Amino acid sequence: MKQTIIFKKESLNDAAAVLSKGGIVAFPTETVYGLGAVATDKDAVTKVFDAKQRPSFDPLIVHVCDREMITPLISGEIPERALKLMDAFWPGPLTIILPKSDIVPDVVTSGLDTVALRLPNHPIAQELIRLTGHPIAAPSANLFSRTSPTSAAAVLDMLEGRIDGVVDEGECEIGIESTVITFCEPTPTLLRPGGISRVQLESIIGPITVLGSLEKKSSAPGRSLRHYAPPCPMYLDLPESEMNKSNAGQICFTADQAIEGFEHCIVLSPNGDPREAAHNLYSSLRTLGALNLTAIYAVTLPEEGVGAAVNDRLRRASVNGFEGMVQE
Ligand code: TXA
Ligand code: MG
């Protein structure tokens, strides 16, 4: 087991030096913590897959600190509508998939001829990329299929001794991952709902195609897996009569949804604010997940704005049983 160094913003130069030498370092973004490696360094990127126990067929997002940095990574012109989304939402929680250039190694994109690109809206993430001087490939900094970390402590909980370092800069504001949209399909297609909502995207570029949470697609191989999962079965929107409350936990959106008889109940947003619910979702799953419960019962949010992204994560965390487990 190697020692994982904890960096602060004052020692960001040292974190960048570890990355430049082929190390892997977790860092905060406005969505969740990422586990970074220099994107053009095949060996470093392989270490990221190993540390996370992530299957090699699930491609990584490449993070940049400014728009110029994407030019060498893509092939062809950036489509007009992709440019409009960059103007509107970058830096921010939007990942855009475009045809890749040869500079991006196959290990990053799992052999696809496309690359996912994101300019995070977090000063530490941007500065770390700038200091490293290279685009940084970074999946969420969790063990594969577990919940994404929203604090350095959550990163260390899963990855201490498996990674070279983590930059500790507090909690992530948004709390769930970026929206992923691809421009490599006949129509722009939303692959993962996230911090930017469908309505926000459509207000800029008009109608887009949207895939369902558990729908499979060969050009998006990471989508259909059991994901974000606590270590016990989770059930969504069950009637009370079908719940077994003994040693079980409950996750509600608002306080009035709480059902009596649960020893452990977490309310995601007392005021009914979906953004607050998103911010609290993963820490709630982690808290209940650590209690050795027999089940967690959760309710979905109204399917609007970031509520759609919270519901997507809840649905994927609730893929229980043989089919879900075998894909881990
Ligand atoms: O907010 C986020 O996006 C965070 C922070 C760290 O930036 N990152 C993140 O990465 O959530 P990850 O690896 O956990 O999720 C990336 C998703 C996966 O579902 C992956 O399959 C998809 O993006 N993806 C990456 N490259 C792709 C590509 N070329 N084509 C289709 N899907 C792709
Ligand atoms: Mg992830």
Side-chain angles (χ1 to χ4, degrees):
M1 189 148 126
K2 60 178 136 186
Q3 203 198 336
T4 299
I5 307 166
I6 300 177
F7 299 103
K8 294 282 182 186
K9 67 168 178 277
E10 298 72 27
S11 51
L12 215 51
N13 261 313
D14 299 334
V18 172
L19 285 167
S20 303
K21 285 188 206 128
I24 56 173
V25 176
F27 60 95
T29 78
E30 78 278 30
T31 57
V32 299
Y33 273 70
L35 175 58
V38 168
T40 45
D41 182 338
K42 278 186 227 160
D43 294 339
V45 173
T46 303
K47 287 187 209 166
V48 167
F49 279 89
D50 290 347
K52 278 186 58 111
Q53 297 171 341
R54 181 178 176 114
S56 59
F57 60 78
D58 193 3
L60 308 186
I61 296 172
V62 176
H63 297 68
V64 294
C65 59
D66 53 45
R67 230 197 263 185
E68 288 69 59
M69 219 180 213
I70 70 170
T71 310
L73 305 174
I74 59 175
S75 72
E77 293 284 300
I78 303 176
E80 188 65 31
R81 282 178 289 184
L83 280 173
K84 283 188 175 166
L85 291 183
M86 290 175 190
D87 287 340
F89 301 117
W90 275 12
L94 178 67
T95 295
I96 296 178
I97 298 178
L98 295 172
K100 85 172 188 75
S101 74
D102 291 342
I103 285 181
V104 183
D106 283 344
V107 61
V108 171
T109 64
S110 302
L112 297 174
D113 52 12
T114 60
V115 60
L117 299 158
R118 173 158 129 73
L119 174 47
N121 188 18
H122 193 293
I124 296 294
Q126 288 182 10
E127 189 59 16
L128 182 65
I129 300 166
R130 194 168 294 120
L131 289 169
T132 308
H134 295 283
I136 300 291
S140 49
N142 50 286
L143 281 175
F144 181 66
S145 93
R146 296 294 176 201
T147 44
S148 302
T150 50
S151 66
V155 173
L156 290 168
D157 213 27
M158 290 181 276
L159 297 179
E160 179 150 34
R162 304 178 66 87
I163 62 177
D164 296 302
V166 56
V167 181
D168 181 358
E169 264 302 307
E171 274 195 27
C172 302
E173 190 188 330
I174 295 178
I176 55 176
E177 302 83 351
S178 63
T179 302
V180 179
I181 187 167
T182 178
F183 283 86
C184 303
E185 298 288 333
T187 54
T189 303
L190 185 81
L191 298 181
R192 178 175 75 180
I196 303 289
S197 71
R198 173 186 188 167
V199 171
Q200 283 175 292
L201 296 173
E202 291 188 330
S203 74
I204 306 292
I205 60 168
I208 57 175
T209 306
V210 178
L211 288 191
S213 287
L214 304 178
E215 222 173 302
K216 296 187 186 189
K217 190 158 189 65
S218 59
S219 57
R223 282 181 33 85
S224 55
L225 306 172
R226 176 177 197 260
H227 235 103
Y228 317 108
C232 66
M234 188 160 135
Y235 302 96
L236 272 191
D237 297 328
L238 275 194
E240 190 177 352
S241 57
E242 289 176 33
M243 295 177 179
N244 180 355
K245 296 179 190 170
S246 155
N247 192 35
Q250 196 189 4
I251 297 181
C252 313
F253 176 33
T254 52
D256 57 329
Q257 293 170 334
I259 293 173
E260 271 184 38
F262 280 97
E263 207 178 315
H264 307 282
C265 174
I266 293 182
V267 176
L268 292 178
S269 173
N271 303 324
D273 176 356
R275 281 169 307 179
E276 188 181 19
H279 177 81
N280 291 328
L281 178 69
Y282 288 152
S283 60
S284 306
L285 287 172
R286 270 194 299 277
T287 303
L288 292 185
L291 296 177
N292 230 338
L293 302 174
T294 47
I296 297 173
Y297 299 94
V299 289
T300 49
L301 276 55
E303 194 75 26
E304 288 157 19
V306 79
V310 172
N311 290 346
D312 169 75
R313 307 309 189 265
L314 287 171
R315 283 185 199 111
R316 296 214 247 161
S318 307
V319 176
N320 301 315
F322 185 69
E323 198 205 342
M325 305 303 280
V326 84
Q327 292 183 346
E328 273 187 274

